[in-house]
Each structure stands twice: as structure tokens, then as C-alpha cells.
Amino acid sequence: MKIDLNSDMGEGFGRWRIADDDGLMDTVSSANIACGFHAGDYAIMDRTVRLAKEKGVGIGAHPGLPDLMGFGRRAMAVSDADMESMMCYQIGALQGIAARHGHRVTHVSYHAAFGNMANADEGLALRLTRAIAALDRNLSVFCMPGQATERAAEKAGLRAQTLFLADRAYTTAGTLVPRGQPGAVIHDLAGVRARVKQFLQDGSVTTIDGARLPVRAQSILVHSDTPGSLELARAIRAEIETSGGVLTPACQLGN
């Protein structure tokens, strides 16, 4: 079985770094690169793209809200038109840097509150995916299965690539337990590896209430800002390989 392992990268700013991007780049097969709004800047983007090219890692844009202080996790009063424009601005910036290094942006993965706002509004979700299609119809969209973004991507003629979030707790409805609630973020090494093993074996995850929830996914995500993210990513990769899986960039996976 071929499967992608992805992580959000380049989420520092200036001299500050939030994660070990070098180590993660040696471990994952796809990187979602912050484009300067919730985190990142032109120098970090340039370095991250260059590193991904060297390591053979696929890259995607990780657009977020213009909220450095809140790391893009706070909802903002932003119009649909502004959401569309700021997303295209971020994707275009990464495409330009990628072209300079002979690399190509192959997917889009919304960050935090940006993605939550899209999933809460079918009209906005469709407007955003149509804008992505106008930029490049070959771009795929990372999303959780069954949510508005997946449906919108399909309506816009884009490939939706679904995710299993290894380090986040799920509700029985298939949504994520909100950050700030007990148990929402999972950083226990053995616990994360057990969740990945279960997903690989039967395509399910145990919810925070103890129920078994089917999860349809092509890619496994580990957040770089989760404590111990590099160790978690290495453990996930080891579990994939132990289970006979082949780590493959998302852009090389079929539908």
C-alpha cells in the first residue's frame, strides 16, 4: 500500500523556528509550507522549498489567516472575497519560489481557522476551490473526508486528497476535538503509533469517546508544532514501513 506522510512546515518567522524542519524533511513525503500569513516569510519559504527539492519531498501551499500573533487559529471577520484573494496571494507566492528552485507546488492544505471557516460554509468552500482550479487545475486539495472542502474540490474538478490526523483526537461525528479541550492533541509516542497501526490495519480510529470510526484517507498528517513532532513523525513512518506500506508523496498517489 502506498501512503503519504505530511507535515506543516516553515511555520517560524524571521529568526524564530517552531519545529525541526530539517529532521521532518528527512522523514515525511509531503510538506505543507506556510506562506507568510499565519507564519513563515519569504526567506523561510525559500529555504523550505529548496530543502524539499533536495530531499525529494512534495510541496503544497498552507494558506492561513493574517494572524501571526494567534498562529492563524483565531476566527476573523473576513469577507469571502478577501478569503479568496489572500489564499491566491499565498499560493502564488509559493509557486514563484518553487519555480525558482525547479520544484512545483502540487497541493493546497488550508491552515487551522482558515480551513474551519471554509468547512463551515459550503458557498465559501466552493468559491475557494474554484479559485484554486483557476490557478492550476492540477493542484489537489488536502481535506478531511466528508467535509465541505472535499465536496467543493470535487465540484470544482479538483482532486481531493483526504487526511488522517495522527496527533488529533476525533469526535464520533468525524470532526476534530477542539483545541483546548482535554485530550484534543495527542503527543504520546506509543498512543500515536497505535492509532496509525489501527488506521493502516482497518481504516479506522478510536474516537475520544471510545467508539470506532471509519476513516477514509490517503495521507497521514502530523502537526509540526505538536510537542515532539519529529519523534512522532519518525514513529509514524516506522509503523507505515513495518505494516508493509510504501511512503509516497501525495502528488504521486492515484485517486
Short mmCIF file of all heavy atoms in Angstrom, two decimals, residues 7-64:
data_model
loop_
_atom_site.label_atom_id
_atom_site.label_comp_id
_atom_site.label_asym_id
_atom_site.label_seq_id
_atom_site.Cartn_x
_atom_site.Cartn_y
_atom_site.Cartn_z
N SER A 7 3.47 16.95 6.77
CA SER A 7 3.55 17.80 7.94
C SER A 7 3.56 19.26 7.50
O SER A 7 3.99 19.58 6.38
CB SER A 7 4.81 17.50 8.76
OG SER A 7 4.80 18.20 9.99
N ASP A 8 3.07 20.13 8.37
CA ASP A 8 3.10 21.57 8.12
C ASP A 8 4.49 22.09 8.46
O ASP A 8 4.99 21.83 9.56
CB ASP A 8 2.06 22.28 8.99
CG ASP A 8 0.67 21.67 8.83
OD1 ASP A 8 0.39 21.15 7.73
OD2 ASP A 8 -0.11 21.71 9.79
N MET A 9 5.11 22.82 7.54
CA MET A 9 6.49 23.26 7.75
C MET A 9 6.66 24.74 7.44
O MET A 9 5.76 25.39 6.91
CB MET A 9 7.44 22.43 6.88
CG MET A 9 7.50 20.98 7.28
SD MET A 9 8.91 20.16 6.50
CE MET A 9 8.38 18.48 6.63
N GLY A 10 7.83 25.24 7.79
CA GLY A 10 8.13 26.65 7.56
C GLY A 10 7.31 27.57 8.44
O GLY A 10 7.05 28.72 8.07
N GLU A 11 6.89 27.07 9.60
CA GLU A 11 5.98 27.85 10.42
C GLU A 11 6.68 28.69 11.49
O GLU A 11 6.13 28.95 12.55
CB GLU A 11 4.93 26.92 11.05
CG GLU A 11 3.96 26.40 10.01
CD GLU A 11 2.78 25.66 10.58
OE1 GLU A 11 2.98 24.81 11.48
OE2 GLU A 11 1.65 25.90 10.13
N GLY A 12 7.89 29.11 11.19
CA GLY A 12 8.56 30.07 12.06
C GLY A 12 8.35 31.47 11.53
O GLY A 12 7.47 31.74 10.72
N PHE A 13 9.21 32.39 11.98
CA PHE A 13 9.16 33.76 11.46
C PHE A 13 10.50 34.43 11.79
O PHE A 13 10.92 34.43 12.95
CB PHE A 13 8.01 34.55 12.08
CG PHE A 13 7.81 35.90 11.42
CD1 PHE A 13 7.18 35.99 10.19
CD2 PHE A 13 8.27 37.05 12.01
CE1 PHE A 13 7.00 37.22 9.56
CE2 PHE A 13 8.09 38.29 11.40
CZ PHE A 13 7.47 38.37 10.17
N GLY A 14 11.15 34.96 10.74
CA GLY A 14 12.45 35.59 10.97
C GLY A 14 13.44 34.60 11.56
O GLY A 14 13.67 33.53 11.02
N ARG A 15 13.99 34.96 12.71
CA ARG A 15 15.00 34.10 13.36
C ARG A 15 14.38 32.99 14.20
O ARG A 15 15.10 32.11 14.69
CB ARG A 15 15.91 34.95 14.24
CG ARG A 15 15.17 35.67 15.35
CD ARG A 15 16.11 36.56 16.15
NE ARG A 15 17.04 35.78 16.95
CZ ARG A 15 17.92 36.33 17.80
NH1 ARG A 15 17.99 37.65 17.91
NH2 ARG A 15 18.72 35.57 18.51
N TRP A 16 13.05 33.02 14.37
CA TRP A 16 12.40 32.04 15.24
C TRP A 16 11.89 30.85 14.44
O TRP A 16 11.28 31.00 13.39
CB TRP A 16 11.24 32.69 16.00
CG TRP A 16 11.72 33.66 17.02
CD1 TRP A 16 12.16 33.39 18.29
CD2 TRP A 16 11.84 35.08 16.86
NE1 TRP A 16 12.54 34.55 18.93
CE2 TRP A 16 12.35 35.60 18.07
CE3 TRP A 16 11.56 35.96 15.81
CZ2 TRP A 16 12.59 36.95 18.26
CZ3 TRP A 16 11.80 37.31 15.99
CH2 TRP A 16 12.31 37.79 17.20
N ARG A 17 12.12 29.65 14.98
CA ARG A 17 11.63 28.43 14.37
C ARG A 17 10.74 27.71 15.36
O ARG A 17 10.99 27.73 16.56
CB ARG A 17 12.79 27.51 13.96
CG ARG A 17 13.67 28.11 12.86
CD ARG A 17 14.65 27.08 12.35
NE ARG A 17 15.59 27.67 11.39
CZ ARG A 17 16.53 26.98 10.75
NH1 ARG A 17 16.65 25.68 10.99
NH2 ARG A 17 17.33 27.58 9.89
N ILE A 18 9.72 27.04 14.83
CA ILE A 18 8.77 26.37 15.71
C ILE A 18 9.00 24.86 15.75
O ILE A 18 8.53 24.18 16.65
CB ILE A 18 7.32 26.69 15.26
CG1 ILE A 18 6.36 26.42 16.41
CG2 ILE A 18 6.93 25.92 14.02
CD1 ILE A 18 4.98 26.98 16.19
N ALA A 19 9.71 24.33 14.78
CA ALA A 19 9.90 22.87 14.71
C ALA A 19 11.22 22.55 14.03
O ALA A 19 11.88 23.43 13.47
CB ALA A 19 8.74 22.23 13.96
N ASP A 20 11.60 21.29 14.08
CA ASP A 20 12.81 20.81 13.42
C ASP A 20 12.47 20.44 11.98
O ASP A 20 12.26 19.27 11.65
CB ASP A 20 13.37 19.60 14.18
CG ASP A 20 14.71 19.13 13.62
OD1 ASP A 20 15.12 19.60 12.54
OD2 ASP A 20 15.35 18.26 14.26
N ASP A 21 12.38 21.46 11.12
CA ASP A 21 12.01 21.21 9.72
C ASP A 21 13.03 20.33 9.01
O ASP A 21 12.66 19.54 8.14
CB ASP A 21 11.86 22.53 8.98
CG ASP A 21 10.53 23.22 9.28
OD1 ASP A 21 9.75 22.68 10.08
OD2 ASP A 21 10.28 24.31 8.73
N ASP A 22 14.31 20.47 9.35
CA ASP A 22 15.33 19.65 8.71
C ASP A 22 15.09 18.17 8.99
O ASP A 22 15.13 17.33 8.09
CB ASP A 22 16.73 20.04 9.21
CG ASP A 22 17.17 21.40 8.70
OD1 ASP A 22 16.30 22.19 8.30
OD2 ASP A 22 18.38 21.67 8.70
N GLY A 23 14.82 17.86 10.25
CA GLY A 23 14.56 16.47 10.62
C GLY A 23 13.27 15.96 10.01
O GLY A 23 13.21 14.83 9.52
N LEU A 24 12.24 16.78 10.03
CA LEU A 24 10.96 16.38 9.44
C LEU A 24 11.10 16.13 7.95
O LEU A 24 10.49 15.20 7.40
CB LEU A 24 9.90 17.44 9.71
CG LEU A 24 9.35 17.50 11.13
CD1 LEU A 24 8.55 18.78 11.35
CD2 LEU A 24 8.47 16.27 11.42
N MET A 25 11.90 16.94 7.27
CA MET A 25 12.05 16.80 5.82
C MET A 25 12.72 15.47 5.47
O MET A 25 12.54 14.96 4.36
CB MET A 25 12.84 17.97 5.25
CG MET A 25 12.58 18.24 3.80
SD MET A 25 10.92 18.86 3.43
CE MET A 25 11.09 20.61 3.77
N ASP A 26 13.49 14.92 6.39
CA ASP A 26 14.10 13.60 6.18
C ASP A 26 13.12 12.47 6.45
O ASP A 26 13.45 11.30 6.20
CB ASP A 26 15.31 13.43 7.09
CG ASP A 26 16.54 14.16 6.58
OD1 ASP A 26 16.72 14.24 5.35
OD2 ASP A 26 17.32 14.67 7.41
N THR A 27 11.94 12.80 6.98
CA THR A 27 11.03 11.78 7.48
C THR A 27 9.74 11.69 6.69
O THR A 27 9.21 10.60 6.46
CB THR A 27 10.69 12.07 8.96
OG1 THR A 27 11.91 12.24 9.70
CG2 THR A 27 9.89 10.93 9.57
N VAL A 28 9.21 12.84 6.25
CA VAL A 28 7.90 12.87 5.58
C VAL A 28 8.06 12.77 4.07
O VAL A 28 9.17 12.84 3.53
CB VAL A 28 7.13 14.14 5.95
CG1 VAL A 28 6.96 14.26 7.47
CG2 VAL A 28 7.81 15.39 5.39
N SER A 29 6.93 12.64 3.38
CA SER A 29 6.96 12.60 1.91
C SER A 29 6.33 13.85 1.28
O SER A 29 6.52 14.10 0.09
CB SER A 29 6.28 11.33 1.38
OG SER A 29 5.03 11.12 2.00
N SER A 30 5.55 14.61 2.06
CA SER A 30 4.97 15.86 1.58
C SER A 30 5.05 16.92 2.67
O SER A 30 4.92 16.61 3.85
CB SER A 30 3.50 15.68 1.17
OG SER A 30 3.37 14.80 0.07
N ALA A 31 5.24 18.17 2.24
CA ALA A 31 5.32 19.30 3.17
C ALA A 31 4.30 20.36 2.79
O ALA A 31 4.18 20.74 1.62
CB ALA A 31 6.73 19.91 3.15
N ASN A 32 3.55 20.83 3.79
CA ASN A 32 2.61 21.94 3.60
C ASN A 32 3.32 23.19 4.12
O ASN A 32 3.56 23.32 5.32
CB ASN A 32 1.33 21.69 4.41
CG ASN A 32 0.84 20.26 4.28
OD1 ASN A 32 0.75 19.73 3.18
ND2 ASN A 32 0.54 19.62 5.41
N ILE A 33 3.65 24.11 3.23
CA ILE A 33 4.55 25.21 3.57
C ILE A 33 3.77 26.49 3.86
O ILE A 33 3.00 26.98 3.01
CB ILE A 33 5.57 25.44 2.44
CG1 ILE A 33 6.39 24.14 2.21
CG2 ILE A 33 6.49 26.61 2.78
CD1 ILE A 33 7.36 24.23 1.06
N ALA A 34 3.97 27.03 5.07
CA ALA A 34 3.34 28.29 5.46
C ALA A 34 3.79 29.40 4.51
O ALA A 34 4.96 29.46 4.12
CB ALA A 34 3.71 28.64 6.90
N CYS A 35 2.86 30.28 4.16
CA CYS A 35 3.12 31.27 3.11
C CYS A 35 3.14 32.71 3.60
O CYS A 35 2.88 33.64 2.84
CB CYS A 35 2.07 31.11 2.01
SG CYS A 35 2.03 29.48 1.26
N GLY A 36 3.44 32.91 4.89
CA GLY A 36 3.68 34.26 5.37
C GLY A 36 2.54 34.95 6.08
O GLY A 36 2.70 36.07 6.56
N PHE A 37 1.36 34.32 6.16
CA PHE A 37 0.23 34.98 6.82
C PHE A 37 0.11 34.56 8.28
O PHE A 37 0.18 35.38 9.18
CB PHE A 37 -1.07 34.72 6.05
CG PHE A 37 -1.31 35.70 4.94
CD1 PHE A 37 -0.28 36.12 4.11
CD2 PHE A 37 -2.57 36.20 4.69
CE1 PHE A 37 -0.48 37.03 3.09
CE2 PHE A 37 -2.80 37.11 3.67
CZ PHE A 37 -1.76 37.52 2.87
N HIS A 38 -0.10 33.26 8.54
CA HIS A 38 -0.16 32.80 9.93
C HIS A 38 1.24 32.52 10.47
O HIS A 38 1.46 32.50 11.68
CB HIS A 38 -1.03 31.55 10.07
CG HIS A 38 -0.39 30.29 9.57
ND1 HIS A 38 -0.38 29.93 8.24
CD2 HIS A 38 0.27 29.30 10.22
CE1 HIS A 38 0.25 28.78 8.10
NE2 HIS A 38 0.66 28.37 9.28
N ALA A 39 2.18 32.32 9.57
CA ALA A 39 3.57 32.03 9.92
C ALA A 39 4.38 32.03 8.63
O ALA A 39 3.84 32.05 7.54
CB ALA A 39 3.70 30.68 10.63
N GLY A 40 5.71 32.00 8.79
CA GLY A 40 6.59 31.95 7.62
C GLY A 40 6.88 33.33 7.06
O GLY A 40 6.24 34.32 7.42
N ASP A 41 7.88 33.38 6.22
CA ASP A 41 8.24 34.60 5.50
C ASP A 41 9.00 34.18 4.25
O ASP A 41 9.25 32.99 4.03
CB ASP A 41 9.07 35.55 6.38
CG ASP A 41 10.33 34.91 6.94
OD1 ASP A 41 11.08 34.27 6.16
OD2 ASP A 41 10.58 35.01 8.16
N TYR A 42 9.37 35.15 3.42
CA TYR A 42 9.99 34.81 2.13
C TYR A 42 11.28 34.01 2.28
O TYR A 42 11.54 33.10 1.49
CB TYR A 42 10.25 36.09 1.31
CG TYR A 42 11.08 37.13 2.03
CD1 TYR A 42 12.45 37.10 1.99
CD2 TYR A 42 10.45 38.15 2.76
CE1 TYR A 42 13.22 38.05 2.64
CE2 TYR A 42 11.21 39.11 3.42
CZ TYR A 42 12.60 39.04 3.37
OH TYR A 42 13.34 39.98 4.02
N ALA A 43 12.07 34.32 3.30
CA ALA A 43 13.34 33.61 3.48
C ALA A 43 13.10 32.17 3.94
O ALA A 43 13.74 31.23 3.46
CB ALA A 43 14.21 34.35 4.49
N ILE A 44 12.16 32.00 4.86
CA ILE A 44 11.84 30.65 5.34
C ILE A 44 11.21 29.83 4.23
O ILE A 44 11.52 28.64 4.05
CB ILE A 44 10.92 30.73 6.57
CG1 ILE A 44 11.67 31.31 7.77
CG2 ILE A 44 10.37 29.34 6.93
CD1 ILE A 44 10.81 31.54 9.00
N MET A 45 10.32 30.45 3.47
CA MET A 45 9.70 29.74 2.35
C MET A 45 10.76 29.28 1.36
O MET A 45 10.74 28.14 0.89
CB MET A 45 8.69 30.65 1.65
CG MET A 45 7.44 30.95 2.47
SD MET A 45 6.46 32.30 1.79
CE MET A 45 5.86 31.56 0.26
N ASP A 46 11.69 30.16 1.04
CA ASP A 46 12.75 29.83 0.09
C ASP A 46 13.59 28.66 0.58
O ASP A 46 13.86 27.71 -0.16
CB ASP A 46 13.64 31.05 -0.15
CG ASP A 46 14.63 30.84 -1.27
OD1 ASP A 46 14.24 31.00 -2.45
OD2 ASP A 46 15.79 30.50 -0.98
N ARG A 47 13.97 28.71 1.84
CA ARG A 47 14.79 27.65 2.42
C ARG A 47 14.03 26.33 2.45
O ARG A 47 14.59 25.26 2.15
CB ARG A 47 15.22 28.04 3.83
CG ARG A 47 16.07 26.98 4.53
CD ARG A 47 16.41 27.38 5.96
NE ARG A 47 17.26 26.37 6.58
CZ ARG A 47 16.80 25.26 7.13
NH1 ARG A 47 15.49 25.01 7.13
NH2 ARG A 47 17.61 24.39 7.67
N THR A 48 12.76 26.37 2.82
CA THR A 48 11.96 25.16 2.94
C THR A 48 11.74 24.50 1.58
O THR A 48 11.82 23.28 1.45
CB THR A 48 10.61 25.47 3.62
OG1 THR A 48 10.85 26.16 4.85
CG2 THR A 48 9.85 24.19 3.94
N VAL A 49 11.46 25.30 0.57
CA VAL A 49 11.28 24.76 -0.78
C VAL A 49 12.58 24.13 -1.27
O VAL A 49 12.58 23.03 -1.84
CB VAL A 49 10.81 25.86 -1.75
CG1 VAL A 49 10.91 25.37 -3.20
CG2 VAL A 49 9.39 26.28 -1.43
N ARG A 50 13.69 24.83 -1.07
CA ARG A 50 14.99 24.29 -1.51
C ARG A 50 15.28 22.95 -0.84
O ARG A 50 15.73 21.99 -1.48
CB ARG A 50 16.10 25.30 -1.21
CG ARG A 50 17.50 24.77 -1.52
CD ARG A 50 18.56 25.86 -1.34
NE ARG A 50 18.45 26.54 -0.07
CZ ARG A 50 18.91 26.02 1.09
NH1 ARG A 50 19.46 24.81 1.12
NH2 ARG A 50 18.79 26.71 2.21
N LEU A 51 15.00 22.88 0.47
CA LEU A 51 15.25 21.64 1.21
C LEU A 51 14.35 20.51 0.71
O LEU A 51 14.80 19.37 0.55
CB LEU A 51 15.02 21.89 2.70
CG LEU A 51 15.42 20.81 3.68
CD1 LEU A 51 16.91 20.50 3.56
CD2 LEU A 51 15.08 21.23 5.11
N ALA A 52 13.09 20.84 0.44
CA ALA A 52 12.17 19.82 -0.07
C ALA A 52 12.63 19.28 -1.42
O ALA A 52 12.55 18.08 -1.68
CB ALA A 52 10.76 20.41 -0.19
N LYS A 53 13.10 20.17 -2.27
CA LYS A 53 13.60 19.76 -3.58
C LYS A 53 14.78 18.80 -3.42
O LYS A 53 14.86 17.77 -4.08
CB LYS A 53 14.02 21.00 -4.37
CG LYS A 53 14.73 20.71 -5.68
CD LYS A 53 13.80 20.14 -6.73
CE LYS A 53 14.51 20.05 -8.08
NZ LYS A 53 13.65 19.47 -9.13
N GLU A 54 15.69 19.14 -2.50
CA GLU A 54 16.86 18.29 -2.27
C GLU A 54 16.48 16.91 -1.76
O GLU A 54 17.11 15.91 -2.08
CB GLU A 54 17.80 18.97 -1.27
CG GLU A 54 18.49 20.22 -1.80
CD GLU A 54 19.26 20.95 -0.71
OE1 GLU A 54 19.24 20.50 0.45
OE2 GLU A 54 19.90 21.98 -1.03
N LYS A 55 15.43 16.86 -0.94
CA LYS A 55 15.04 15.60 -0.29
C LYS A 55 14.01 14.81 -1.07
O LYS A 55 13.61 13.72 -0.66
CB LYS A 55 14.49 15.90 1.11
CG LYS A 55 15.45 16.63 2.04
CD LYS A 55 16.63 15.77 2.41
CE LYS A 55 17.54 16.48 3.41
NZ LYS A 55 18.69 15.64 3.81
N GLY A 56 13.52 15.36 -2.19
CA GLY A 56 12.50 14.67 -2.97
C GLY A 56 11.13 14.66 -2.30
O GLY A 56 10.34 13.74 -2.50
N VAL A 57 10.85 15.70 -1.54
CA VAL A 57 9.59 15.82 -0.81
C VAL A 57 8.62 16.70 -1.61
O VAL A 57 9.00 17.78 -2.08
CB VAL A 57 9.82 16.43 0.59
CG1 VAL A 57 8.50 16.75 1.28
CG2 VAL A 57 10.64 15.46 1.45
N GLY A 58 7.39 16.25 -1.78
CA GLY A 58 6.38 17.04 -2.47
C GLY A 58 5.99 18.25 -1.64
O GLY A 58 6.05 18.20 -0.40
N ILE A 59 5.58 19.33 -2.30
CA ILE A 59 5.24 20.54 -1.55
C ILE A 59 3.85 21.05 -1.90
O ILE A 59 3.36 20.91 -3.01
CB ILE A 59 6.26 21.68 -1.76
CG1 ILE A 59 6.33 22.09 -3.23
CG2 ILE A 59 7.63 21.27 -1.24
CD1 ILE A 59 7.15 23.36 -3.47
N GLY A 60 3.22 21.66 -0.88
CA GLY A 60 1.93 22.28 -1.07
C GLY A 60 1.87 23.59 -0.33
O GLY A 60 2.64 23.82 0.62
N ALA A 61 0.97 24.47 -0.75
CA ALA A 61 0.77 25.75 -0.06
C ALA A 61 -0.11 25.52 1.16
O ALA A 61 -1.07 24.74 1.11
CB ALA A 61 0.12 26.76 -1.00
N HIS A 62 0.22 26.22 2.23
CA HIS A 62 -0.52 26.09 3.50
C HIS A 62 -1.05 27.47 3.89
O HIS A 62 -0.55 28.11 4.81
CB HIS A 62 0.44 25.55 4.57
CG HIS A 62 -0.23 25.05 5.81
ND1 HIS A 62 -1.39 24.32 5.81
CD2 HIS A 62 0.13 25.17 7.12
CE1 HIS A 62 -1.71 24.00 7.03
NE2 HIS A 62 -0.82 24.52 7.86
N PRO A 63 -2.07 27.96 3.15
CA PRO A 63 -2.56 29.32 3.39
C PRO A 63 -3.34 29.43 4.69
O PRO A 63 -4.08 28.52 5.08
CB PRO A 63 -3.48 29.57 2.18
CG PRO A 63 -3.93 28.20 1.78
CD PRO A 63 -2.78 27.29 2.05
N GLY A 64 -3.16 30.56 5.35
CA GLY A 64 -3.87 30.80 6.60
C GLY A 64 -4.36 32.24 6.68
O GLY A 64 -4.14 33.04 5.76
#
